[in-house]
Amino acid sequence: MARAGLTTERLVRAGAELADEVGFEHVTVSALARRFDVKAASLYSHLKNSQDLKTRIALLALEELADRAAEALAGRAGKDALAAFANVYRDYAREHPGRYAAARLRLDPETAAASAGGRHAQMTRAILRGYDLTEPDETHAVRLLGSVFHGYVSLELAGGFDHSAPAPQETWTRILDRLDAMLRTWPPA
């Protein structure tokens, strides 16, 4: 019998909090059981294994990110939309580093198709419609934006910009300015 009060949703949320505290790579069913002061076996009526827990945390993170991005994009277009979208990812990563790492988890195709990942791609493409891109340039631009946002955020979270001036915010603002300018003149000459 499952311990009273433990549900799959509660365990996944607690796992997400644990990921933010100790790092996504350290999240296991055993670590989660210690958090609730129960035996790991008592969680297996809710979770298959540690990979199932990590997948569920990834799905939660993708959903949270998509919801935040949708809210931030409402009523925005062009550079304003681009900056709002980018800032959602950066802010989320700073607030929830473990969940942000979880959102990068490779999902099997069926799980990925049913996740909020598709919403992220749709929102990115919606932003790019303001730049009048056509295929395949739109796909290239989606990949470029994802690479720049994730690369910068990952380096910043790892302390890669702590050692010198100017402040990371200044660089971030310049990157967004340059991306906007580049997208306005895409495809490159």
Side-chain angles (χ1 to χ4, degrees), residues 19-82:
D20 289 337
E21 293 166 14
V22 301
F24 183 61
E25 68 277 7
H26 299 294
V27 173
T28 63
V29 171
S30 296
L32 189 58
R34 285 191 295 277
R35 186 177 203 99
F36 285 98
D37 196 27
V38 298
K39 294 189 184 303
S42 67
L43 303 186
Y44 288 115
S45 62
H46 302 286
L47 302 164
K48 294 177 191 171
N49 51 38
S50 291
Q51 187 59 40
D52 180 40
L53 173 61
K54 286 185 172 190
T55 297
R56 290 172 185 269
I57 294 168
L59 295 172
L60 172 68
L62 287 168
E63 189 73 33
E64 288 177 343
L65 264 168
D67 289 347
R68 284 186 182 197
E71 186 177 321
L73 287 174
R76 292 190 159 107
K79 183 181 176 186
D80 190 34
L82 177 68

Side-chain angles (χ1 to χ4, degrees), residues 7 40 88 105 119 123 129 133 176:
T7 64
V88 163
L105 182 69
R119 288 177 57 204
M123 286 184 275
R129 279 195 292 274
L133 301 181
L176 296 179

